[in-house]
Amino acid sequence: MTDLGRLEDLPQDYRDALTRLNLVPLWPSLRGVMPAHTPRPQTQATHWPYATLKEQLLKAGELTPIEKAERRVLVLANPGHGLEKMQASAAIYLGMQLLMPGEWAPSHRHTPNAVRMVVEGEGAWTTVDGERCPMQRGDLILTPTGLWHEHGHDGSEPVIWLDVLDLPLVYYLEASYHVNGERQKSRAASGAQASPAYVAAGVLPTPVFARGNKRYPMLRYPWSSTRDALTKIAQTTDDQTAAQITYINPETGEDAENILGFYAMMLKAGQSVTLPARSPATVFHVIEGSCAVTAASQRFALTRADTCCVPGYGAVQLQNPSSTEPAYLFLADEGPLHRKLGLYEERP
Ligand code: GTQ
């Protein structure tokens, strides 16, 4: 491969003329925007231990009243992108959100898609599109693009959850905005949405008179059912395979949201697995137990409620260090986006 010409090789008066005309020569930058064989991600493998994050989040609870924050969140920012960009990866935003007893995070809707993974505390709820979703540890709650949502808290201890949004991508597309709204009248999930058949594989609740036509029929994925499913799958998998589920739209079988993918995984006591190199960046968050994550020449010892992200195109090794307890992880990745764009790759 020959070296391409550099910007400095060009006469200054020619460069100045191009600049005045809003023109740029491609060749000095060509290898940078299209490197050979593998991208050079800005995303760095990064670990956010929960203990230190929680300490700072509780301080934010004292320093900033909810009325001054609307959403009291500390953003898990990847230093590879620059902290001010508030990106965990190219397309993933992560935030840890605190709601104190009696507080209310007012109703709004926005173009980015969000999910919440509940980390600790009892008594909070999120109302999504009028449906009241209780928040219990390990539950996944969707607030997809355009749906009204607000958070409230009737319990007595702080409640903390992890927000995962596709904000960096939507912002990059210059399509990110929000609308504030009135407090929603909420109702419990009803009809097909509340049906236990949504957690029974292979059968779909099918109302006789009106087929549910909601784009997002299921908004809350209770941890108890996800955990049960993983534990059952793990009884049938060998030691090289981790039990894994994908959070899906139960009516279509497609990913729960359009842009980011959400998964849960169980590692048996002592189990190690190597995930193949895939094009999307991935986030790992520990719901129960602990897990060592090795990727991009880094090794992180994750304990309960810790979060890390790893860039795409590299293999990831996961190891449950406990000889007695299983580990349960929540994963988020850019898989649906890469697949829809035809960019998805898995490399041996
Ligand atoms: O709870 O609606 O972390 O709008 C960032 C933006 C949470 C939310 C975030 C949001 C929210």
Side-chain angles (χ1 to χ4, degrees), residues 71 73 75 93-97 105 108 110 114 116 143 149 151 161 163-165 167:
R71 300 296 190 262
V73 174
V75 179
Y93 158 103
L94 299 173
M96 202 62 87
Q97 181 160 175
H108 70 186
H110 40 70
R116 341 258 151 215
T143 57
H149 58 279
H151 318 294
W161 64 83
D163 293 315
V164 187
L165 280 77
L167 175 62

Side-chain angles (χ1 to χ4, degrees), residues 109-123:
R109 59 190 173 92
H110 40 70
T111 46
N113 296 274
V115 301
R116 341 258 151 215
M117 167 52 55
V118 184
V119 176
E120 73 170 273
E122 294 283 322

Side-chain angles (χ1 to χ4, degrees), residues 268-320:
K268 294 181 230 183
Q271 192 177 13
S272 283
V273 293
T274 301
L275 309 179
R278 299 192 182 105
S279 52
T282 306
V283 168
F284 298 90
H285 170 83
V286 179
I287 300 177
E288 287 180 36
S290 48
C291 183
V293 178
T294 307
S297 317
Q298 301 265 13
R299 183 179 170 87
F300 303 133
L302 270 59
T303 58
R304 195 171 98 64
D306 282 10
T307 306
C308 77
C309 84
V310 305
Y313 294 92
V316 181
Q317 212 218 338
L318 303 175
Q319 193 223 339
N320 178 1

Side-chain angles (χ1 to χ4, degrees), residues 66-347:
I66 192 72
E67 296 74 24
K68 288 284 177 198
E70 268 183 38
R71 300 296 190 262
R72 192 191 290 110
V73 174
L74 291 180
V75 179
L76 289 64
N78 194 304
H81 288 272
L83 300 184
E84 72 290 349
K85 292 279 179 57
M86 300 198 298
Q87 290 178 238
S89 74
I92 304 176
Y93 158 103
L94 299 173
M96 202 62 87
Q97 181 160 175
L98 168 69
L99 203 59
M100 299 298 285
E103 287 183 340
W104 177 60
S107 186
H108 70 186
R109 59 190 173 92
H110 40 70
T111 46
N113 296 274
V115 301
R116 341 258 151 215
M117 167 52 55
V118 184
V119 176
E120 73 170 273
E122 294 283 322
W125 42 266
T126 289
T127 298
V128 190
D129 197 23
E131 184 179 317
R132 192 179 168 100
C133 301
M135 298 178 102
Q136 282 170 350
R137 198 170 72 77
D139 290 354
L140 184 76
I141 296 168
L142 310 186
T143 57
T145 179
L147 297 192
W148 293 107
H149 58 279
E150 62 191 79
H151 318 294
H153 187 358
D154 305 325
S156 54
E157 298 293 324
V159 167
I160 297 176
W161 64 83
L162 178 69
D163 293 315
V164 187
L165 280 77
D166 47 26
L167 175 62
L169 176 74
V170 179
Y171 182 78
Y172 177 73
L173 296 175
E174 301 186 339
S176 178
Y177 71 93
H178 86 282
V179 180
N180 282 331
E182 300 297 307
R183 194 166 193 134
Q184 299 170 74
K185 284 196 195 60
S186 67
R187 49 180 160 65
S190 62
Q193 296 152 65
S195 171
Y198 270 169
V199 293
V203 295
L204 179 66
T206 312
V208 175
F209 296 113
R211 178 71 203 281
N213 57 358
K214 290 197 158 180
R215 168 65 184 87
Y216 299 99
M218 188 166 175
L219 296 168
R220 173 171 180 256
Y221 297 74
W223 175 234
S224 56
S225 352
T226 308
R227 192 183 193 282
D228 263 12
L230 286 169
T231 308
K232 284 182 186 136
I233 295 167
Q235 288 164 9
T236 69
T237 53
D238 61 37
D239 288 347
Q240 279 70 50
T241 322
Q244 186 179 219
I245 60 93
T246 301
Y247 292 95
I248 57 159
N249 176 327
E251 298 207 345
T252 64
E254 287 167 9
D255 294 292
E257 289 186 349
N258 289 331
I259 295 176
L260 301 181
F262 307 102
Y263 319 86
M265 187 182 276
M266 174 183 158
L267 297 173
K268 294 181 230 183
Q271 192 177 13
S272 283
V273 293
T274 301
L275 309 179
R278 299 192 182 105
S279 52
T282 306
V283 168
F284 298 90
H285 170 83
V286 179
I287 300 177
E288 287 180 36
S290 48
C291 183
V293 178
T294 307
S297 317
Q298 301 265 13
R299 183 179 170 87
F300 303 133
L302 270 59
T303 58
R304 195 171 98 64
D306 282 10
T307 306
C308 77
C309 84
V310 305
Y313 294 92
V316 181
Q317 212 218 338
L318 303 175
Q319 193 223 339
N320 178 1
S322 169
S323 55
T324 53
E325 302 302 318
Y328 292 91
L329 309 178
F330 168 63
L331 282 67
D333 78 2
E334 300 160 333
L337 175 65
H338 279 221
R339 286 198 170 84
K340 283 175 177 136
L341 297 180
L343 298 172
Y344 185 84
E345 277 185 55
E346 205 169 290
R347 295 183 176 182

